[in-house]
C-alpha cells in the first residue's frame, strides 16, 4: 500500500494507469451487484462543497488543526514529532474509520449533519475524536457548521493524491450498518466468535487473549511508522469507538471495512454477516467490565472509565493466597488506576504505553498484599546488567532521554517506537513515611517524596527483584533499605498473553512499633498512595515512566457491632413515636386532654 | 392567559420528558449541553423554565377540573428538584451538598405551602386524613406508613453508619496568592511591573490594545479574527510570536491542557487536580500575565501549600523552556482563548 501511494505521488503516469484500472474494475462492480461483499451497497459520490464553505474551513483549520496536522495537512505540525500515533497525513486520502470498503475514501457529505448517521464518517470522526490518540472530540467546541467547513477544506485542499468527487477514480461501496440487524450477544454467539478469531488469524496480531500482544512488533502503517494492534480489553481506547465504547456496532463496522493505512484488512469478503456479528460480540465481551459483568461507567469528560481514588483493602483470616483466581481475591473489588506519562521533569515520557493498572488488596494480622495487573504488549527484561544501580534515578547519562521537540518524521516518536534499548518492565508504589505525623492534607510529593516528607517506595522489576527504597525528592537517588527488604515478599509475578500479574506483600509494621523508616499501616485510616509503571520496550527507566495521581489505600475495619444495633434501636424508637402520635391524635379528637 | 399557560404547560411537559429520558438513558444526556463556565446561570434559567412549565401545567389541570392537591404539588416539586440535581448536573454533586440543597428546597416549599392560613389548611388536610384514617383506603395507607417508616429510617441509618470508603474531601486553592517577585533563569521579575516582551505592536512597543484586536473571536469555536492568521507567511511581530508560542504549546503543554486549551489533554484523565481549563472564564481571563508567568515558570512544585504542591504534576517550566519561550506560550494562550490578560490597574 505504501509503495502504491508513493508511486502515485511520484509518477503521474502510473497514477493515471492505475486510475484507469480502478475505473474498469468499478464498472464491472456496478454491473454485478452480487459481487459486493455482504451488507454493502453501491453509493454515490457526494457533491463538492461550495467554495465559500472551503474558505471558511480554512479559518477553522488554521485556528485549531494546523498545530498537529501541519500547514499542508501532511501530519507534520509542530506537535507531531512527540505524538504516537502521529497525526494523520491527509495528503493521501487515507482515513481509518469508515463505512466504505477497504481502500476507498471515507464518506463525507457537507449536507449531512446528523451525528452518527453512518453517512458522514469524517464528520463523526471530528465530532467524537479518536479516543486513545491526541485527537479530541470537537463537539461542543466547534459548531456543526464549523466542523463541516473544516472538513470541506481538508477534503478538497489537503487531500492531494485523490479527489472525493472524481467519478473516474473513486467508488463508494457503503456498509449498510443502519439496516443490518445485530445478532444478539448470546453465549453461543460469543463462543462462535471465540473460535472465529482463531480461524481468521485475528490472534496473530491481537494476541490469544486480545490484548494486542500478538505481533506487537514490526507492524507499520502506510507511512512506515510503528503501529500496534488494538487491545480489545480497553474498548474506550478504540479509535472508532465514537465515544460509545461498549456499542458492538462500532466493532462490526471496523471489522467489516478494515482500517485504511494499517495492516488491519477488511474481512467483509471472507466473512458472512452472521460470523461478523459473532466476532464483534466476542470482542465486545472482552472489554473490561465490573464485578457484575456490567460495562464500566465511562466519564463523559474524559471518555475513560470513571475513577475512584480509594483502594480498599479487606481483612481476611489466615494466609493470603498467591493465586488471583482464589475465592478471596475474586470476591474483592478491583480499582481502575489511571496512568499518565511522567511529564513534569526530564526525561519526560510523552507516550506512556501503560495507561492504566488494576489494583486489589487484602490484609491479615501481619501483612497487606497488593495484587496489581496491567496490560503490557511486551514482556521486557533487560539483557545483561543495567549500567546504573537500582537506586539511581538520574539515568539521563545512560541514554534514557526524552523525545526532542523537532526531529522531522525520521526522528519522531512514531518512527522510534520499538527501536529503544530494552530495559526492565517495572511497577512501584509509594506511601508517606510517618504519615501519622503529617497534618492533612500535606503529603510527600507525588514524585518520590521531598526533603521534608520522605516516601516509602516499593519497586518490583521484571528481572525478579523487589526492592524497598526511601525517596527524598524527584532528583535524589533512592536510599536502599536492606533490613526492610527481607520482610517484603513477592508472592507472584507473571507475564501471560500481554498482561502482567504482580502480587506484593509487605508487613503492616516493623518489628517494634517504630515507624521512622517505613510506613506503618493503621486500620481504618486513609493512607496516600501513588503508583508508577515502566514499560521496558518503551525505553522506560528512571523518571521516564507512567505515573498515577494520589490514591488512598485504606485497611477496611470489620463492620462493628454498633452498626447493626443502633439502626434497630432507632427503628424501634420510630415505632414508639408513631404510637405516641396516634394516641395523642385520637385522644385530642375525643376531647380528652392528658 | 390560557394560551400563555398552555405554552407554559407544553414547555413543562417537554422538559420533564427530556429529564426522564436522560435519567433512563433514552435521550442522550448531552441533548442540551451544560456549557462550561456558564453552568450556574444555565441551571438557574433551566429551573426557571421548569417552574414556568409547572405553573402552566397546574393551571391547565385545574381548568380541566383535575386540580392537583396543594400537598402533592409541594411534594412533587421538591422531588423534582432532587431529581434534577442528581441526574442533570455533571460532574455529579456529592450527597452531602445535595442534602443541603434538599433542606433549602424543603424550607422553600414549606414557606410556599404555608403562605396563608387557607393554603396551609389545604396542604395539611391530606396528612390529617391519613392520621385520622376515617375511610378504608386511608386506614390501609396509614398501616403502610406505620410499617414502612421505621424500616426506611432504620435502613437509612444503617447505610449511613456502615463504614464506607469515600474519598476524603480536601479543598485546594486553585489560584493562590502570588509572590511579589520571582526569579527565573537568574533574572528577577517583579510581578507588578513586568510585561510580556512579545505583546508588542509593529513598532516593537508594548501595546495591549494592538494585540487585543488580533486575538481570536469569542463565541462558539473561538476562531481567529479574519486576516489575523499567525500562519500567514507575512505575519510579523505579535502574530508571529503567537505562532511560535503555539508551536511550543503543542510540543509541551497540550498533553495535559488539551488541543483546545480546555484541560482535556491526552494525559489529563489520569491526574488529580485536573489540568486548568484556559477557556473557562475563571482561569487565565481572571489573572495577570505575570501571574501566569510565575505559575508556568515555577510549576506545581513552586506552589504555596494551599495549592497542594505535592499533588500537581505541572512542570516547573524553567527546567524545560527559556524565559522567552514561556512568554511566547502565554501570549499564545491568551490569543487562542480570546481573553485579555487582566491588568494591574
Amino acid at each position: 500500500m505504501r509503495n502504491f501511494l508513493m508511486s502515485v505521488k511520484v509518477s503521474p503516469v502510473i497514477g493515471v494507469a492505475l486510475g484507469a484500472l480502478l475505473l474498469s474494475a468499478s464498472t464491472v462492480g456496478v454491473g454485478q451487484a452480487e459481487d459486493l461483499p455482504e451488507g454493502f451497497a453501491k453509493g454515490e459520490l457526494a457533491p463538492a462543497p461550495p467554495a465559500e464553505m472551503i474558505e471558511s474551513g480554512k479559518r477553522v483549520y488554521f485556528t485549531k488543526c494546523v498545530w498537529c496536522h501541519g500547514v499542508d495537512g501532511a501530519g507534520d505540525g509542530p506537535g507531531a514529532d512527540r505524538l504516537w500515533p502521529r497525526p494523520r497525513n491527509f495528503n493521501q486520502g487515507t482515513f481509518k474509520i469508515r463505512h466504505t470498503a477497504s481502500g476507498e475514501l471515507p464518506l463525507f457529505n457537507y449536507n449531512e449533519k446528523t451525528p452518527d448517521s453512518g453517512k458522514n464518517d469524517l464528520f463523526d470522526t471530528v465530532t467524537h475524536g479518536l479516543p486513545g490518540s491526541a485527537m479530541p472530540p470537537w463537539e461542543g467546541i466547534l459548531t456543526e457548521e464549523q466542523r463541516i467547513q473544516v472538513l470541506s477544506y481538508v477534503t478538497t485542499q489537503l487531500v492531494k493524491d485523490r479527489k472525493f468527487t472524481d467519478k473516474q477514480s473513486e467508488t463508494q461501496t457503503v456498509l449498510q450498518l443502519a439496516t443490518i440487524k445485530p445478532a444478539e450477544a448470546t453465549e453461543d454467539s460469543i463462543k462462535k466468535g471465540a473460535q472465529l478469531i482463531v480461524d481468521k488469524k485475528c490472534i496473530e496480531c491481537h494476541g490469544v487473549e486480545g490484548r494486542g500482544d500478538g505481533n506487537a512488533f514490526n507492524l507499520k502503517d502506510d507511512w512506515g511508522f510503528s503501529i500496534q494492534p488494538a487491545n480489545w480489553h480497553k474498548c474506550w481506547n478504540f479509535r472508532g469507538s465514537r465515544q460509545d465504547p461498549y456499542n458492538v456496532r462500532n466493532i462490526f463496522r471496523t471489522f467489516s471495512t478494515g482500517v485504511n493505512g494499517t495492516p488491519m484488512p477488511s474481512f467483509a469478503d471472507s466473512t458472512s454477516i452472521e460470523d461478523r456479528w459473532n466476532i464483534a460480540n466476542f470482542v465486545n465481551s472482552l472489554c473490561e467490565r465490573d464485578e457484575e459483568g456490567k460495562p464500566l461507567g465511562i466519564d463523559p469528560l474524559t471518555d475513560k472509565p470513571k475513577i475512584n481514588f480509594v483502594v480498599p483493602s479487606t481483612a481476611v483470616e489466615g494466609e493470603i493466597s498467591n493465586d488471583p483466581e482464589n475465592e478471596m481475591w475474586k470476591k474483592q473489588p478491583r480499582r481502575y488506576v489511571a496512568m499518565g506519562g511522567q511529564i513534569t521533569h526530564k526525561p519526560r515520557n510523552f507516550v506512556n504505553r501503560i495507561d492504566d493498572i488494576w489494583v486489589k488488596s487484602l490484609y491479615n494480622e501481619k501483612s497487606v498484599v497488593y495484587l496489581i495487573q496491567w496490560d503490557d504488549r511486551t514482556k521486557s527484561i533487560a539483557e545483561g546488567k543495567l549500567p546504573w544501580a537500582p537506586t539511581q534515578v538520574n539515568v539521563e547519562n545512560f541514554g534514557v532521554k526524552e523525545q526532542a521537540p523537532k526531529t522531522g518524521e525520521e526522528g519522531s516518536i512514531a518512527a522510534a517506537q520499538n527501536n529503544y534499548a530494552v530495559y526492565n518492565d517495572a511497577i512501584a508504589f509509594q506511601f508517606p513515611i510517618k504519615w501519622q505525623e503529617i497534618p492533612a492534607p500535606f503529603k510527600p510529593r507525588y514524585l518520590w517524596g521531598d526533603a521534608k516528607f520522605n516516601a516509602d517506595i516499593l519497586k518490583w522489576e521484571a528481572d525478579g527483584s523487589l526492592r524497598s527504597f526511601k525517596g527524598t525528592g524527584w532528583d535524589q537517588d533512592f536510599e536502599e533499605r536492606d533490613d526492610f527488604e527481607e520482610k517484603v515478599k513477592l508472592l507472584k509475578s507473571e507475564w501471560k498473553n500481554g498482561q502482567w500479574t504482580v502480587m506484593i506483600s509487605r508487613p503492616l509494621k516493623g518489628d517494634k512499633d517504630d515507624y521512622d523508616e517505613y510506613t506503618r499501616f493503621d486500620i481504618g485510616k486513609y493512607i496516600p498512595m501513588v503508583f508508577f509503571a515502566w514499560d521496558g520496550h518503551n525505553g522506560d527507566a528512571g523518571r521516564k515512566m507512567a505515573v498515577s495521581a494520589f490514591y488512598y489505600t485504606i485497611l477496611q475495619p470489620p463492620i462493628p457491632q454498633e452498626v447493626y444495633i443502633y439502626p434497630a434501636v432507632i427503628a424501634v424508637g420510630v415505632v414508639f413515636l408513631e404510637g405516641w402520635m396516634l394516641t395523642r391524635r385520637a385522644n385530642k379528637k375525643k376531647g380528652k386532654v392528658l | 392567559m390560557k394560551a400563555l399557560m398552555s405554552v407554559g404547560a407544553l414547555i413543562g411537559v417537554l422538559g420533564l420528558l427530556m429529564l426522564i429520558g436522560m435519567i433512563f438513558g433514552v435521550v442522550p444526556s448531552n441533548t442540551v449541553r451544560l456549557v462550561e463556565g456558564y453552568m450556574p446561570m444555565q441551571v438557574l434559567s433551566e429551573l426557571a423554565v421548569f417552574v414556568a412549565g409547572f405553573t402552566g401545567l397546574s393551571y391547565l389541570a385545574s381548568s380541566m377540573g383535575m386540580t392537583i392537591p396543594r400537598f402533592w404539588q409541594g411534594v412533587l416539586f421538591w422531588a423534582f428538584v432532587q431529581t434534577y440535581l442528581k441526574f442533570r448536573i455533571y460532574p455529579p454533586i456529592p450527597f452531602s451538598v445535595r442534602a443541603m440543597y434538599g433542606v433549602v428546597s424543603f424550607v422553600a416549599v414549606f414557606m410556599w405551602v404555608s403562605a396563608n392560613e387557607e393554603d396551609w389548611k389545604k396542604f395539611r388536610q391530606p396528612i390529617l386524613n391519613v392520621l385520622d384514617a376515617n375511610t378504608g383506603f386511608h386506614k390501609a395507607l396509614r398501616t403502610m406508613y406505620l410499617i414502612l417508616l421505621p424500616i426506611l429510617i432504620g435502613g437509612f441509618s444503617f447505610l449511613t453508619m456502615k463504614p464506607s470508603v469515600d474519598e476524603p474531601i480536601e479543598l485546594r486553592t486553585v489560584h493562590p496568592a502570588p509572590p511579589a517577585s520571582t526569579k527565573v533563569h537568574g533574572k528577577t521579575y517583579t510581578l507588578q511591573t513586568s510585561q510580556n516582551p512579545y505583546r508588542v505592536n509593529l513598532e516593537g512597543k508594548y501595546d495591549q490594545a494592538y494585540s487585543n484586536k488580533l486575538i481570536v473571536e469569542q463565541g462558539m469555536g473561538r476562531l481567529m479574527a479574519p486576516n489575523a492568521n499567525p500562519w500567514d507567511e507575512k505575519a510579523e511581530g505579535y502574530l508571529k510570536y503567537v505562532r511560535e508560542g503555539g508551536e511550543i504549546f503543542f510540543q509541551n503543554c497540550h498533553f495535559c491542557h488539551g488541543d483546545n486549551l480546555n484541560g482535556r489533554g491526552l494525559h489529563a484523565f489520569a491526574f488529580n487536580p485536573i489540568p486548568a481549563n484556559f477557556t473557562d472564564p475563571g482561569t487565565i481571563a481572571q489573572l495577570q500575565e505575570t501571574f501566569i508567568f510565575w505559575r508556568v515558570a515555577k510549576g506545581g512544585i513552586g506552589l504555596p501549600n494551599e495549592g497542594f504542591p505535592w499533588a500537581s504534576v505541572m512542570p516547573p517550566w524553567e527546567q524545560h523552556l527559556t524565559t522567552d519561550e514561556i512568554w511566547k506560550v502565554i501570549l499564545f494562550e491568551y490569543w487562542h482563548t480570546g481573553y485579555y490578560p487582566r491588568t494591574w490597574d
Side-chain angles (χ1 to χ4, degrees):
Chain A
M1 195 67 189
R2 186 191 183 203
N3 293 335
F4 165 73
L5 287 168
M6 288 305 163
S7 66
V8 174
K9 215 174 178 179
V10 181
S11 153
V13 183
I14 301 176
V16 171
L18 277 171
L21 207 78
L22 270 174
L23 177 67
S24 57
S26 68
T27 37
V28 171
V30 172
Q32 299 167 319
E34 60 269 27
D35 276 3
L36 297 179
E38 210 184 335
F40 284 78
K42 274 271 163 246
E44 293 281 321
L45 293 182
E52 67 269 16
M53 200 172 254
I54 297 172
E55 194 51 37
S56 314
K58 187 175 175 187
R59 192 174 154 208
V60 182
Y61 187 85
F62 278 93
T63 315
K64 307 286 185 191
C65 319
V66 65
W67 308 101
C68 287
H69 292 287
V71 177
D72 286 318
D76 58 354
D81 294 347
R82 280 181 170 170
L83 288 176
W84 183 59
R86 254 181 97 85
R88 181 92 323 196
N89 180 344
F90 298 131
N91 297 164
Q92 292 78 22
T94 307
F95 293 94
K96 284 182 171 173
I97 312 301
R98 295 159 294 103
H99 279 78
T100 55
S102 188
E104 288 186 342
L105 288 171
L107 299 173
F108 170 64
N109 186 341
Y110 74 92
N111 279 322
E112 180 62 63
K113 285 174 203 158
T114 324
D116 309 310
S117 60
K119 295 175 191 157
N120 209 344
D121 295 325
L122 292 182
F123 179 71
D124 287 340
T125 295
V126 173
T127 300
H128 296 300
L130 296 169
S133 81
M135 174 79 174
W138 291 95
E139 188 185 25
I141 294 168
L142 296 173
T143 62
E144 279 169 16
E145 195 61 36
Q146 288 167 338
R147 277 175 262 158
I148 294 283
Q149 285 165 353
V150 74
L151 285 167
S152 302
Y153 178 72
V154 169
T155 52
T156 57
Q157 307 298 307
L158 300 181
V159 173
K160 297 186 174 175
D161 299 347
R162 297 172 80 167
K163 223 166 165 250
F164 275 69
T165 48
D166 188 355
K167 290 199 173 115
Q168 305 291 308
S169 59
E170 302 300 340
T171 53
Q172 300 257 266
T173 316
V174 185
L175 179 68
Q176 304 295 307
L177 192 51
T179 59
I180 303 174
K181 203 173 158 285
E184 227 175 291
T186 56
E187 227 168 274
D188 182 51
S189 167
I190 290 173
K191 219 172 110 194
K192 279 184 187 154
Q195 184 54 44
L196 280 162
I197 64 140
V198 179
D199 299 345
K200 301 270 173 197
K201 302 198 163 64
C202 305
I203 57 167
E204 281 188 8
C205 289
H206 290 282
V208 175
E209 285 179 21
R211 295 183 196 273
D213 58 308
N215 188 356
F217 279 93
N218 311 321
L219 288 182
K220 297 235 158 84
D221 68 9
D222 279 3
W223 296 270
F225 295 123
S226 159
I227 195 168
Q228 59 186 358
N231 179 348
W232 295 339
H233 292 255
K234 301 185 187 184
C235 52
W236 51 87
N237 280 347
F238 288 172
R239 304 289 184 276
S241 66
R242 300 298 191 222
Q243 296 184 291
D244 188 8
Y246 288 92
N247 188 338
V248 68
R249 285 175 165 274
N250 292 319
I251 304 167
F252 182 89
R253 183 206 58 234
T254 299
F255 188 73
S256 295
T257 63
V259 182
N260 280 0
T262 77
M264 171 77 185
S266 154
F267 285 84
D269 287 322
S270 57
T271 317
S272 71
I273 284 188
E274 195 195 331
D275 278 352
R276 276 184 253 160
W277 280 122
N278 291 338
I279 288 172
N281 282 333
F282 172 69
V283 170
N284 190 33
S285 76
L286 289 183
C287 192
E288 298 294 347
R289 282 165 165 77
D290 65 11
E291 293 86 41
E292 292 160 22
K294 287 203 200 101
L296 300 173
I298 298 290
D299 187 332
L301 297 184
T302 62
D303 296 316
K304 307 272 186 188
K306 288 182 181 162
I307 296 175
N308 183 330
F309 286 102
V310 178
V311 179
S313 186
T314 305
V316 289
E317 299 273 325
E319 201 79 353
I320 294 173
S321 166
N322 64 357
D323 176 14
E325 295 303 308
N326 186 290
E327 199 52 36
M328 68 171 77
W329 281 112
K330 289 197 115 170
K331 271 200 319 220
Q332 179 65 1
R334 56 179 189 165
R335 281 290 191 257
Y336 168 85
V337 173
M339 305 292 282
Q342 191 286 112
I343 40 173
T344 308
H345 300 289
K346 283 189 166 85
R348 292 172 288 171
N349 192 6
F350 301 106
V351 170
N352 54 309
R353 299 213 299 191
I354 300 166
D355 65 351
D356 55 43
I357 58 180
W358 292 91
V359 184
K360 284 182 182 185
S361 178
L362 294 173
Y363 75 97
N364 59 18
E365 57 283 356
K366 280 215 183 79
S367 37
V368 55
V369 180
Y370 288 94
L371 165 61
I372 304 177
Q373 292 181 297
W374 71 98
D375 290 359
D376 182 343
R377 289 177 171 84
T378 48
K379 177 180 184 175
S380 332
I381 299 173
E383 280 177 41
K385 200 173 171 293
L386 288 170
W388 56 80
T391 48
Q392 248 174 306
V393 301
N394 300 303
V395 294
E396 294 89 301
N397 297 336
F398 302 99
V400 182
K401 291 223 160 59
E402 69 177 35
Q403 175 73 23
K406 273 186 203 167
T407 57
E409 292 187 356
E410 299 300 319
S412 67
I413 290 183
Q417 268 295 336
N418 296 337
N419 287 321
Y420 295 107
V422 176
Y423 306 127
N424 287 329
D425 285 337
I427 196 96
F429 45 85
Q430 81 171 36
F431 305 101
I433 299 175
K434 290 206 259 189
W435 56 269
Q436 291 90 337
E437 291 174 19
I438 304 176
F442 283 76
K443 298 176 183 74
R445 188 155 187 257
Y446 82 91
L447 195 52
W448 303 335
D450 45 57
K452 198 169 169 207
F453 302 128
N454 301 339
D456 171 317
I457 301 163
L458 208 50
K459 183 178 182 185
W460 165 88
E461 292 193 48
D463 60 7
S465 64
L466 178 62
R467 289 193 176 88
S468 168
F469 302 115
K470 180 158 108 180
T472 54
W474 64 273
D475 56 348
Q476 301 298 310
D477 286 339
F478 292 152
E479 289 170 35
E480 192 152 12
R481 299 176 307 176
D482 303 319
D483 58 327
F484 188 63
E485 242 156 58
E486 296 160 11
K487 301 190 181 80
V488 295
K489 256 186 270 162
L490 181 65
L491 296 185
K492 186 186 179 76
S493 69
E494 181 190 39
W495 185 90
K496 203 175 150 206
N497 295 325
Q499 188 186 43
W500 272 111
T501 300
V502 173
M503 207 189 276
I504 296 170
S505 162
R506 56 171 294 152
L508 292 178
K509 56 178 186 183
D511 293 334
K512 298 165 215 137
D513 247 3
D514 169 38
Y515 54 96
D516 274 358
E517 286 299 313
Y518 32 81
T519 308
R520 191 188 75 199
F521 283 73
D522 293 344
I523 290 172
K525 299 282 192 224
Y526 289 98
I527 305 169
M529 186 176 191
V530 183
F531 297 88
F532 310 92
W534 291 261
D535 177 1
H537 272 83
N538 195 35
D540 289 1
R543 278 186 302 273
K544 188 164 180 256
M545 61 181 176
V547 60
S548 79
F550 267 108
Y551 284 69
Y552 288 96
T553 192
I554 176 170
L555 307 185
Q556 287 179 288
I559 298 179
Q561 292 269 300
E562 298 92 79
V563 176
Y564 299 102
I565 296 169
Y566 286 147
V569 171
I570 290 172
V572 171
V574 172
V575 171
F576 276 114
L577 203 71
E578 280 173 355
W580 175 75
M581 230 168 86
L582 285 181
T583 334
R584 218 186 128 197
R585 177 96 193 138
N587 287 344
K588 203 174 162 193
K589 260 203 325 198
K590 283 183 207 150
K592 277 194 226 163
V593 180
L594 285 176
Chain B
M1 187 67 182
K2 198 153 190 177
L4 195 72
M5 286 299 177
S6 313
V7 174
L10 194 70
I11 295 173
V13 170
L14 282 181
L16 274 183
L17 281 181
M18 211 133 104
L19 190 67
I20 292 168
M22 282 179 195
I23 293 170
F24 290 103
V26 189
V27 180
S29 59
N30 55 5
T31 311
V32 182
R33 291 186 71 88
L34 289 174
V35 185
E36 264 178 50
Y38 300 96
M39 205 177 81
M41 285 317 292
Q42 211 179 337
V43 165
L44 283 181
S45 40
E46 272 185 27
L47 280 175
V49 169
F50 270 113
V51 169
F54 292 153
T55 317
L57 266 181
S58 80
Y59 179 86
L60 272 199
S62 58
S63 70
M64 285 189 296
M66 299 188 298
T67 315
I68 307 165
R70 182 51 59 91
F71 175 75
W72 288 112
Q73 282 184 5
V75 170
L76 284 176
F77 185 71
W78 185 80
F80 161 76
V81 173
Q82 299 314 302
T83 324
Y84 181 89
L85 290 177
K86 172 138 175 57
F87 291 101
R88 173 69 176 136
I89 306 221
Y90 197 91
I93 318 179
F95 176 76
S96 53
V97 180
R98 263 191 292 125
M100 252 154 59
Y101 283 122
V103 172
V104 171
S105 50
F106 177 79
V107 170
V109 167
F110 191 77
M111 274 157 65
W112 170 50
V113 295
S114 61
N116 55 54
E117 191 60 32
E118 198 187 340
D119 275 359
W120 176 234
K121 242 187 202 148
K122 266 199 239 165
F123 177 77
R124 62 185 199 152
Q125 197 53 50
I127 307 177
L128 293 183
N129 285 347
V130 174
L131 267 183
D132 293 343
N134 293 327
T135 65
F137 170 71
H138 282 137
K139 219 167 229 157
L141 207 60
R142 186 172 76 175
T143 323
M144 206 181 75
Y145 275 128
L146 286 181
I147 298 169
L148 270 183
L149 266 182
I151 295 177
L152 280 178
I153 293 175
F156 182 76
S157 49
F158 174 72
L159 287 180
T160 38
M161 280 182 72
K162 207 172 107 181
S164 70
V165 283
D166 289 338
E167 195 189 332
I169 295 172
E170 292 171 349
L171 298 175
R172 168 180 175 267
T173 307
V174 181
H175 304 309
S181 66
T182 182
K183 195 172 173 187
V184 180
H185 291 304
K187 201 178 154 204
T188 304
Y189 295 82
T190 308
L191 262 55
Q192 290 243 20
T193 55
S194 296
Q195 289 177 329
N196 190 333
Y198 295 99
R199 192 174 288 287
V200 291
N201 56 23
L202 288 173
E203 282 95 57
K205 286 231 176 67
Y206 183 87
D207 188 347
Q208 192 172 331
Y210 170 81
S211 65
N212 285 353
K213 273 183 254 157
L214 296 173
I215 59 175
V216 306
E217 294 173 352
Q218 279 290 329
M220 255 318 250
R222 303 179 195 227
L223 301 185
M224 62 174 72
N227 305 318
N229 183 355
W231 285 87
D232 195 323
E233 280 163 12
K234 283 172 274 171
E236 269 187 86
Y238 170 74
L239 277 181
K240 186 171 140 260
Y241 300 137
V242 163
R243 189 184 73 222
E244 289 167 8
E247 289 179 0
I248 297 156
F249 184 91
F250 280 90
Q251 284 156 1
N252 295 283
C253 319
H254 83 92
F255 296 98
C256 290
H257 294 286
D259 296 6
N260 201 46
L261 283 65
N262 58 357
R264 308 265 168 82
L266 202 50
H267 299 302
F269 76 102
F271 295 135
N272 179 25
I274 54 169
N277 172 1
F278 301 143
T279 61
D280 184 299
T283 59
I284 62 170
Q286 298 292 325
L287 301 165
Q288 294 89 4
E289 233 174 344
T290 48
F291 182 97
I292 314 288
F293 179 78
W294 163 63
R295 289 287 286 108
V296 172
K298 298 299 172 190
I301 200 171
L303 282 167
N305 285 335
E306 65 265 31
F308 290 18
W310 50 85
S312 168
V313 301
M314 170 83 167
W317 286 99
E318 57 184 350
Q319 288 181 8
H320 305 282
L321 301 176
T322 64
T323 317
D324 287 342
E325 285 173 327
I326 294 176
W327 282 121
K328 283 179 187 168
V329 167
I330 296 169
L331 202 69
F332 168 77
E333 285 168 4
Y334 280 103
W335 175 82
H336 193 277
T337 51
Y339 290 131
Y340 310 143
R342 213 161 134 192
T343 48
W344 288 96
D345 34 69

